[in-house]
Amino acid sequence: MTNLTGASAGRPVTGGDDAKRWEFAKEDYVHRVPEGDVRPSRHFSNLLFSGDLLSTAIELALLVGLTSAAVLLPVDTVNVKGSMPLLEVAGFFWCTSIVTRVYNSYLEACYFAFPQYRTQPPSDHALVDRKDLCGRDRVQLARLVLHDRMTMLSQFAFGVLVYYCLPGYYPAAEDVKDSLPVRVAKLALNHYIMSFGMYWGHRAYHVNPWLWRNLHSVHHWARHPLSRNTYQDHWLENFVNHVAGHFAAQVLCPIDHGCFWVSHVFRILESLEKHSGISCYLNLAHQTQRWLPYAQMPHHHDWHHEGHKSCNYTFSALGGVWDCIFGTRKIGRCEAAPGQMTPHDRSLAASKARGVKMPLLDDPNMCLVPSTLFMLTVMWKLSSGGQ
């Protein structure tokens, strides 16, 4: 289950004259990078879901309801054989929500406390009036609250449906039969499969005009990303990303109970970090994977958000290997991230190599082929006996 934190920099105040209509109930990131006063109530994401009381109440009702069902109803009625107990699934949903909120607040605190590690210079945040620090206007912020709410509802429903329709998707805590190296190898393969599905989906969102205009452009309203922007997409895109990401990877390469927890928590941290606006040792998840071949750092994805031609590069969700293989890797703002240039960035800067050029897949329709084949493989795996 994916949760969102701080989706809007405050909710618009209605009524009054034009000036008052552009005021914000919570002046988190309005107009410029705040200086001096860094009280959490003003400058860090609050803990409300999307900064909205109703959305927060709905989320809490869903989580409390699922937890209550797991506790009060007969075990043999609510639990699925071969899967986690429903109570643990509820705990998993609670955990992803809490981890997202806490780590988002940590990253945004780092953004303000360590300006030397920001990937975009302050001059790039000199936004016009009536926009938040990330570049969204009042109307866009209001629409994001609705997309966040639909994301929450659709993914919660999907998570519960999968629990009952696909036994074993949420793996039970049984004795682990594989050795540690085998478990690690499966976890790595699972992540690269996830990244493959999300890479081609993300690339299609940029290449296909309809997908860009109706879905992915919502996410790119944020030209100057902070961690709160991580899941700020059109709700349907968030749903598709979840299916093509964690769901597809778990179907094609199932991982055990412990690795399942590690995978989801790590993915949350990694996703939040690459939108954090800073690229340094404070990005805990990226520091643990930067030794991998072709690893990407937050400054790569930050550059992807700046617009123009830059946003047609660095699509990978994890690792970065698919960008290198398929010719969409760019070094981004490495000069703004001291010490964070990876070995592959250095070789790329020296050689100007772009990997395998695939102009056919830049066609608006042909770009959908890899994602379609990928999901057909997932469907075949399900129809042939599940996981």
Side-chain angles (χ1 to χ4, degrees), residues 21 31 34 58 63 101 109 120 130 186 223 225 234 245 253 269 271 360 371:
R21 281 198 296 271
H31 308 329
I58 294 172
L63 294 174
R101 284 167 161 79
Q120 296 187 42
R130 303 179 180 180
K186 284 185 175 179
R223 295 280 291 274
H234 191 287
C253 181
L269 304 188
S271 298
L360 180 63
S371 293

Side-chain angles (χ1 to χ4, degrees), residues 62-74:
L62 292 173
L63 294 174
V64 170
L66 186 66
T67 305
S68 300
V71 172
L72 300 176
L73 296 178

